[in-house]
Amino acid sequence: MNFSQLGLDPSLVGACESLGYTEPTPIQQEAIPVVLGGSDLIGCAETGTGKTAAFLLPLIQRMSRRARPGVRLLVLAPTRELATQIEASYKSLAPKGSPRCALVIGGAAMKRQTDNLKKGAGVIVATPGRLLDQMERGTIDLGRIEALVLDEADRMLDMGFWPSIRRVLAALPSERQTLLFSATMSPEIERLARSTMKSPALVEVSQRGRAPEMVEQMAYPVATESKTALLIDLLEKEREQENFDRVLVFTRTRRGAERLSHILEARDHKVGRIHADRTQPQRDAALRGFREGHTRVLVATDIAARGIDVDAVSHVINYDVPEAPEDYVHRIGRTGRAGKSGRAITLVTPVEELS
């Protein structure tokens, strides 16, 4: 199957081809016709399977059918990094003349975002907290929204965003298309979604909570005091047998991420770091350096687990065991993407093994 068989316009098919998308992924095959038909949808698929294009492509086409003023599409994401990637995807897929897209995220200059919104936008990609800030300032009118997308909705619930999302929902027209996408889908999320959607179609192309098939997973038992030494050993000594080209290391805490990145830098590793105490420009620079290959190791907390979309991450190393199975799935989903193989290594101390 190709994209044209899904009912997409030639301009969008051409955009897919220019980006190297030769054939739709399973979630795209299932979701695009549903969204083109105007139905609400709950989509569940593994990370790295093309969920963003699965909702952007048909929504761009639906908006192209009729020019209208005001904000027509709102996409909510749990993290700044994910929102930034969705905005970038929209700009790469949308043909010339498509509605303008504005990014509204925390950690960025409020005045610059406000000035950008005043220029007019038909599409807004936002994190919930900053969106509410702008709504309270009167810079955003959501009264003409035609479609709402909740991306990584389970993570938004985990991060405590649902009260904010409900406030946003109250400002939207009742007559709208609502799409919810996530790599995992708890019964609680499903109940909440169905309470805000109208007879949604369920598109589920993989078992919920399942780790990506292309990722080889392994655990290394290690004493707590030897964990850092083992990580260094993996990054240095094993490179002769295994190519640790681009390594994403996850810690539980911001302090742990800072400490670990400084230790690795002291051993002459090129390291970037992303966590909530870093400013948005610092986080952007760290992700850009990792994506472009200027740094080989990126140390991150779970805030980045669903916001890092980098090709050819060779290894994900869980320096700390995540608190929830869903976090583990999202962490290791940063490798083994788009049909490529990857490895996930978890360092497990006796205390973590018991917990």
Side-chain angles (χ1 to χ4, degrees):
M1 178 175 285
N2 56 46
F3 283 97
S4 62
Q5 291 175 286
L6 296 177
L8 293 173
D9 290 340
S11 59
L12 291 172
V13 174
C16 292
E17 292 174 349
S18 67
L19 294 172
Y21 303 161
T22 56
E23 61 182 60
T25 64
I27 186 65
Q28 291 164 357
Q29 292 181 33
E30 297 287 339
I32 287 175
V34 174
V35 181
L36 282 176
S39 297
D40 287 4
L41 180 141
I42 299 173
C44 185
E46 298 172 5
T47 58
T49 54
K51 292 192 299 293
T52 301
F55 64 78
L56 283 181
L57 287 167
L59 290 175
I60 290 169
Q61 179 158 312
R62 284 177 59 81
M63 288 189 294
S64 71
R65 293 292 188 253
R66 185 175 178 182
R68 290 180 178 174
V71 181
R72 304 174 63 188
L73 168 61
L74 172 64
V75 183
L76 289 179
T79 66
R80 307 167 192 175
E81 286 74 23
L82 181 56
T84 300
Q85 289 170 20
I86 294 170
E87 181 215 23
S89 295
Y90 177 85
K91 290 182 176 179
S92 64
L93 291 171
K96 186 177 181 180
S98 297
R100 186 170 164 273
C101 182
L103 183 65
V104 179
I105 59 174
M110 177 71 81
K111 185 179 185 303
R112 181 179 300 173
Q113 288 184 358
T114 301
D115 292 342
N116 194 31
L117 288 168
K118 289 179 179 178
K119 297 176 183 178
V123 177
I124 290 179
V125 181
T127 51
R130 179 53 65 89
L131 178 66
L132 284 177
D133 291 341
Q134 291 288 5
M135 289 170 62
E136 290 170 357
R137 288 168 174 252
T139 56
I140 293 178
D141 179 6
L142 301 180
R144 297 181 179 180
I145 288 290
E146 300 167 17
L148 166 70
V149 179
L150 301 174
D151 198 14
E152 301 292 7
D154 54 343
R155 186 61 173 167
M156 286 196 276
L157 177 63
D158 293 342
M159 295 173 70
F161 281 136
W162 270 105
S164 298
I165 292 172
R166 290 194 179 281
R167 291 175 61 190
V168 173
L169 290 171
L172 302 181
S174 58
E175 292 298 320
R176 66 174 188 273
Q177 186 176 19
T178 304
L179 314 177
L180 184 151
F181 284 82
S182 181
T184 60
M185 195 80 67
S186 67
E188 183 179 13
I189 275 288
E190 203 164 319
R191 286 193 298 270
L192 286 169
R194 291 185 183 279
S195 70
T196 61
M197 304 169 80
K198 297 178 180 178
S199 302
L202 175 62
V203 172
E204 193 169 10
V205 298
S206 64
Q207 182 180 346
R208 302 181 191 190
R210 187 180 67 183
E213 293 180 355
M214 297 298 290
V215 179
E216 180 185 0
Q217 304 171 62
M218 59 194 67
Y220 286 14
V222 61
T224 302
E225 63 273 15
S226 302
K227 189 189 284 190
T228 302
L230 175 56
L231 175 65
I232 292 172
D233 188 66
L234 287 169
L235 293 176
E236 295 177 358
K237 294 184 179 179
E238 286 201 13
R239 277 185 64 80
E240 297 176 4
Q241 294 83 30
E242 185 174 353
N243 214 358
F244 283 68
D245 281 332
R246 189 170 290 170
V247 184
L248 183 53
V249 180
F250 280 107
T251 66
R252 277 191 183 183
T253 67
R254 311 167 195 177
R255 182 176 297 179
E258 280 289 318
R259 170 185 166 277
L260 194 57
S261 61
H262 289 309
I263 291 173
L264 294 177
E265 285 172 346
R267 295 187 65 90
D268 295 326
H269 290 280
K270 294 181 179 179
V271 181
R273 58 194 186 277
I274 293 179
H275 55 75
D277 285 344
R278 303 283 284 172
T279 66
Q280 191 59 41
Q282 288 174 327
R283 287 160 66 164
D284 291 342
L287 187 55
R288 184 169 55 252
F290 187 60
R291 179 179 289 117
E292 296 176 356
H294 303 308
T295 55
R296 184 168 68 97
V297 180
L298 180 63
V299 181
T301 55
D302 283 310
I303 193 172
R306 309 192 188 199
I308 295 178
D309 185 9
V310 177
D311 290 337
V313 173
S314 62
H315 293 75
V316 168
I317 299 178
N318 293 307
Y319 181 83
D320 295 321
V321 174
E323 295 184 0
E326 293 81 5
D327 292 333
Y328 176 81
V329 171
H330 284 286
R331 284 183 180 187
I332 71 170
R334 301 307 100 191
T335 187
R337 298 168 70 86
K340 298 177 182 178
S341 61
R343 293 188 74 192
I345 298 172
T346 302
L347 311 186
V348 185
T349 65
V351 172
E352 290 172 322
E353 189 171 0
L354 292 173
S355 62

